[in-house]
């Protein structure tokens, strides 16, 4: 059962107050609002979580389509954001790992981003919250209130401040008399245990009104009983892990209340009936098997899209296989702007696509639908390149650096959940988890799973004779996608990639490791 705190005393001052945008003068151009959670998952009422309270996200779902098979193309913060804003996988856009600090990854200079492209089509663009991509000139919004000119908690977790920034941007778009794209990138429910531990493992105390924590005026904190949280199968059943999830729930409820404030600003500005609203997250939740992993808890994402158009589906679910790579072509389609892609003669296209048709009608069911994933780094020290293809039934993961233990990021390492796993393993205490730490660290080069029969991805079927044709087809399709997207890791780890006039060629290193066929 959730509890709401009593009186709070300390004020967290907002930087300004802006007048409400006048709705009677609002124009009716086509607009887009993208709302991105940071490490958000399925702890939402609309996705059947009965404990975590998310009435605003649930209400958004009633006005749109709930996607049950949405996936990120990379399970890492900066790479996933770059992929969303370019429609290209991380190995193609160059954002191999985190952008901030010592990690310092950047996209290639020649990449075309959504804000830069929209600017050339007279659409005003704005970002509020966590940006975490670069270089700046490549991802240039007309209006920017991000961690680059604010503290990330103020623009990513202070929902009152986010509300006022949203109002300011909508005023600007109104005064400029242009269509707009607003990208509200919350920092909730990201962990903060290694950056701001005084606020709790998920910054659940930030702005709560507790002594020394400040106050976010529009936030009404909800605290959850650790015994009552819904425990995902991939998290150990211990008090430490359950308390960690309870803290996560509190920040998800803050995220939800923030989304409600943003949508209210949109309504008061008179733009509910001309704005395509997209809600999703960048990658999986920050728990073992989640973020940085290619198991489903790391790749599957919530996604809700609400279209104001007549005849659009309302309060319906889609089972189409979709990717965050599809966001850019969807937005461009909304503005009737072409999404530049190379033409293909192949009947089966694995390229990003607009999701607007799905908002009108559910596409025919197909077993051949697939999503692809590509990851190289997270933090600079976490070199563990992976490539994957997932269909409705099967998933094939290629771990290129399989000889090394799977790396652990700083956020996860200091978390109560991982420390509990680590300490129980070291002291040989009982660990009610679905894996051992050794199994989690050490992974084979190839992993093949039958998702329908084995949704927890526990039984690796790689090399099973009865699935030889299935595995071969998946590998060929994954290889084709890597070639089509200019993957520099196409031949790794068993061969060297050489560029020839007729295309890339893999030259064997005689390591004994299999690789793609020579071309």
């Amino acid at each position: 059962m959730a509890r709401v705190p009593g009186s709070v005393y300390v004020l967290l001052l907002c930087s300004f107050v802006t007048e409400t945008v006048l709705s009677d003068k609002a124009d009716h151009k086509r607009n887009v609002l993208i709302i991105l959670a940071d490490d958000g998952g399925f702890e939402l009422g609309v996705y059947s979580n009965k404990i975590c309270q998310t009435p605003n996200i649930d209400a958004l779902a009633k006005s749109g389509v709930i996607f049950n098979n949405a996936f990120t193309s990379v399970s890492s913060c900066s790479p996933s954001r770059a992929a969303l804003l370019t429609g290209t996988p991380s190995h193609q856009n160059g954002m191999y790992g985190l952008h901030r600090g010592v990690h310092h990854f950047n996209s290639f200079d020649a990449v075309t981003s959504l804000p830069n492209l929209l600017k050339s089509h007279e659409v005003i663009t704005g970002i509020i919250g966590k940006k975490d991509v670069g270089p700046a000139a490549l991802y240039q919004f007309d209006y920017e209130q991000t961690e680059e000119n604010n503290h990330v908690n103020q623009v990513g977790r202070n929902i009152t401040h986010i509300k006022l920034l949203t109002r300011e941007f909508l005023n600007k778009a109104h005064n400029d008399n242009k269509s707009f794209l607003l990208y509200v990138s919350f920092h909730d429910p990201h962990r903060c245990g290694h950056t701001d531990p005084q606020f709790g493992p998920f910054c659940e105390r930030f702005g709560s009104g507790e002594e020394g924590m400040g106050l976010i005026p529009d936030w009404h904190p909800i605290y959850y009983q650790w015994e009552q949280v819904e425990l995902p199968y991939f998290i150990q059943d211990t008090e430490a892990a359950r308390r960690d999830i309870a803290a996560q729930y509190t920040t998800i409820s803050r995220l939800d209340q923030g989304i409600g404030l943003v949508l209210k600003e949109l309504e008061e500005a008179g733009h509910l009936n001309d704005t395509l609203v997209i809600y999703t997250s960048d990658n999986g939740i920050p728990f073992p098997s989640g973020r940085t992993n290619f198991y489903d808890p790391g790749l599957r994402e919530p996604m809700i899209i609400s279209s104001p158009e007549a005849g659009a589906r309302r309060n319906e679910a889609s089972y189409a296989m979709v990717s965050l790579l599809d966001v850019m072509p969807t937005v461009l389609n909304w503005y009737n702007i072409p999404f530049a892609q190379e033409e293909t003669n192949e009947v089966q296209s694995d390229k990003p696509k607009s999701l607007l048709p799905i908002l009108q009608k559910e596409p025919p069911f197909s077993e051949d639908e697939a999503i692809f994933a590509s990851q190289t780094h997270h933090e600079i020290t976490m070199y563990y390149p992976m490539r994957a293809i997932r269909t409705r039934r099967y998933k094939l993961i290629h771990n290129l650096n399989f000889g090394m233990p799977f790396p652990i990021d700083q956020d996860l390492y200091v978390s109560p959940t991982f420390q509990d796993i680590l300490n129980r393993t070291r002291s040989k205490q009982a660990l009610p988890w679905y894996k051992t730490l050794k199994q989690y660290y050490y992974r084979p080069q190839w992993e093949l799973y039958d998702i329908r029969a084995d949704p927890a991805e526990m039984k690796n079927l790689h090399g099973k004779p009865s699935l030889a044709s299935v595995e071969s087809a998946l590998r060929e399709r994954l290889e084709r996608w890597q070639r089509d997207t200019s993957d520099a890791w196409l031949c790794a780890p068993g061969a060297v990639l050489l560029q020839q006039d007729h295309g890339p060629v893999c030259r064997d290193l005689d390591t004994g490791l299999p690789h793609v066929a020579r071309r």
Side-chain angles (χ1 to χ4, degrees):
M1 179 169 58
R3 294 183 289 108
V4 180
S7 300
V8 290
Y9 304 99
V10 182
L11 292 179
L12 182 67
L13 295 178
C14 297
S15 61
F16 61 86
V17 177
T18 309
E19 293 183 2
T20 301
V21 181
L22 297 178
S23 61
D24 59 342
K25 294 184 180 180
D27 55 46
H28 296 285
K29 301 179 183 296
R30 293 171 76 81
N31 307 301
V32 174
L33 171 62
I34 299 175
I35 302 172
L36 190 70
D38 197 357
D39 298 353
F42 295 90
E43 300 76 24
L44 312 170
V46 66
Y47 282 103
S48 301
N49 187 300
K50 295 179 175 57
I51 304 299
C52 192
Q53 297 183 25
T54 56
N56 295 290
I57 296 175
D58 299 346
L60 177 64
K62 290 180 180 179
S63 70
V65 175
I66 306 102
F67 288 82
N68 283 322
N69 285 311
F71 298 82
T72 184
S73 67
V74 53
S75 193
S76 174
C77 302
S78 299
S80 64
R81 293 159 193 271
L84 183 149
L85 291 172
T86 65
T88 59
S90 60
H91 64 254
Q92 190 174 18
N93 66 54
M95 188 68 73
Y96 299 135
L98 298 182
H99 171 65
R100 59 191 177 274
V102 69
H103 317 293
H104 200 58
F105 287 103
N106 285 281
S107 290
F108 298 131
D109 292 339
V111 170
T112 300
S113 74
L114 184 59
N116 288 24
L117 182 59
L118 291 181
K119 184 179 298 187
S120 68
H121 286 80
E122 297 301 311
V123 176
I124 187 171
T125 60
I127 178 172
I128 298 169
K130 182 177 175 179
K131 188 177 184 182
D132 208 18
V133 291
L138 186 63
Y139 298 95
Q140 195 167 56
F141 292 80
D142 297 304
Y143 175 94
E144 297 197 2
Q145 293 291 339
T146 72
E147 75 278 8
E148 296 178 358
N149 53 358
N150 300 265
H151 191 288
V152 68
N153 285 342
Q154 291 298 334
V155 291
R157 302 187 197 267
N158 182 342
I159 61 175
T160 296
H161 193 46
I162 293 168
K163 173 190 74 174
L164 297 176
L165 292 173
T166 300
R167 187 180 302 172
E168 182 179 66
F169 172 80
L170 293 174
N171 265 318
K172 176 176 173 58
H174 172 75
N175 292 336
D176 290 353
N177 193 27
K178 290 183 177 181
S179 293
F180 66 78
L181 174 137
L182 177 58
Y183 174 45
V184 182
S185 178
F186 285 87
H187 196 27
D188 281 333
H190 194 285
R191 290 188 180 276
C192 69
H194 90 284
T195 56
D196 298 293
Q198 71 274 20
F199 295 127
F202 280 91
C203 272
E204 69 276 9
R205 300 177 66 196
F206 173 74
S208 65
E210 300 172 60
E211 185 176 356
M213 297 295 105
L215 175 67
I216 300 173
D218 288 295
W219 182 33
H220 305 286
I222 302 173
Y223 299 116
Y224 296 87
Q225 300 291 337
W226 62 268
E227 302 95 335
Q228 296 180 353
V229 300
E230 294 189 5
L231 191 73
Y233 70 87
F234 53 93
I235 299 176
Q236 74 271 24
D237 192 357
T238 65
E239 180 177 339
R242 285 179 171 273
R243 287 187 180 277
D244 210 14
I245 295 171
Q248 177 204 29
Y249 279 15
T250 295
T251 55
I252 291 172
S253 288
R254 180 169 60 202
L255 163 73
D256 178 78
Q257 292 177 34
I259 289 173
L261 294 173
V262 169
L263 293 175
K264 183 66 174 176
E265 291 298 319
L266 190 72
E267 179 182 17
E268 293 184 353
H271 286 300
L272 272 187
N273 294 325
D274 58 27
T275 302
L276 183 74
V277 180
I278 302 172
Y279 170 78
T280 188
S281 180
D282 54 350
N283 45 247
I285 64 175
F287 286 86
S289 292
R291 186 187 64 196
T292 76
N293 284 265
F294 274 7
Y295 303 123
D296 268 13
L299 289 181
R300 286 191 67 226
E301 300 300 334
M303 181 181 281
I304 299 165
I305 304 182
S306 175
S307 169
E309 298 220 310
R313 300 166 70 189
R314 312 269 182 233
N315 198 27
E316 292 186 16
S318 173
Y319 296 90
M321 299 282 287
V322 302
S323 168
L324 294 193
L325 294 174
D326 299 326
V327 170
M328 183 168 178
T330 300
V331 171
L332 293 179
N333 190 12
W334 180 253
Y335 293 116
N336 294 314
I337 300 171
F339 179 57
Q341 294 190 100
E342 293 182 5
E343 295 297 325
T344 177
N345 294 322
E346 296 168 0
V347 175
Q348 182 186 65
S349 176
D350 291 324
K351 298 181 183 299
K353 59 189 178 298
S354 171
L355 303 181
L356 292 188
I358 300 176
L359 305 186
Q360 297 292 325
K361 182 180 180 181
E362 182 73 357
F365 179 89
S366 172
E367 288 283 3
D368 291 332
E369 285 185 284
I371 61 93
F372 297 84
S374 167
Q375 186 161 313
T376 307
H377 288 268
H378 179 61
E379 295 171 356
I380 184 65
T381 57
M382 296 173 62
Y383 181 70
Y384 201 87
M386 300 175 286
R387 304 293 185 264
I389 176 174
R390 189 199 190 279
T391 65
R392 292 182 182 275
R393 180 166 183 178
Y394 295 103
K395 180 190 289 180
L396 181 69
I397 303 174
H398 188 193
N399 299 310
L400 280 66
N401 200 15
F402 62 96
M404 296 295 291
F406 189 81
I408 305 298
D409 66 85
Q410 298 173 68
D411 272 337
L412 181 60
Y413 179 79
V414 301
S415 71
T417 296
F418 187 76
Q419 285 297 309
D420 181 53
I421 292 174
L422 196 61
N423 292 332
R424 286 172 177 270
T425 300
R426 286 171 171 170
S427 61
K428 295 181 170 52
Q429 296 181 51
L431 177 59
W433 192 31
Y434 82 135
K435 291 183 178 181
T436 66
L437 193 54
K438 184 176 181 179
Q439 289 172 330
Y440 186 78
Y441 284 151
Y442 294 100
R443 307 176 183 191
Q445 182 179 4
W446 294 95
E447 298 179 74
L448 175 65
Y449 299 104
D450 183 339
I451 302 296
R452 286 182 186 157
D454 178 26
E457 299 165 276
M458 292 294 293
K459 187 176 181 181
N460 185 5
L461 303 175
H462 165 62
K464 189 173 182 180
S466 61
L467 291 175
S469 61
V470 170
E471 183 167 1
S472 176
L474 290 172
R475 286 182 62 169
E476 288 177 5
R477 191 171 176 185
L478 178 60
E479 176 195 337
R480 184 173 68 242
W481 178 76
Q482 289 182 263
R483 288 183 180 276
D484 290 345
T485 55
S486 304
D487 189 355
W489 281 261
L490 173 67
C491 306
V496 170
L497 175 66
L498 297 178
Q499 292 292 342
Q500 304 287 334
D501 292 341
H502 57 280
V505 176
C506 296
R507 297 303 186 196
D508 204 320
L509 290 169
D510 292 325
T511 61
L513 297 174
H515 58 84
V516 298
R518 299 184 187 186
R519 297 289 174 89

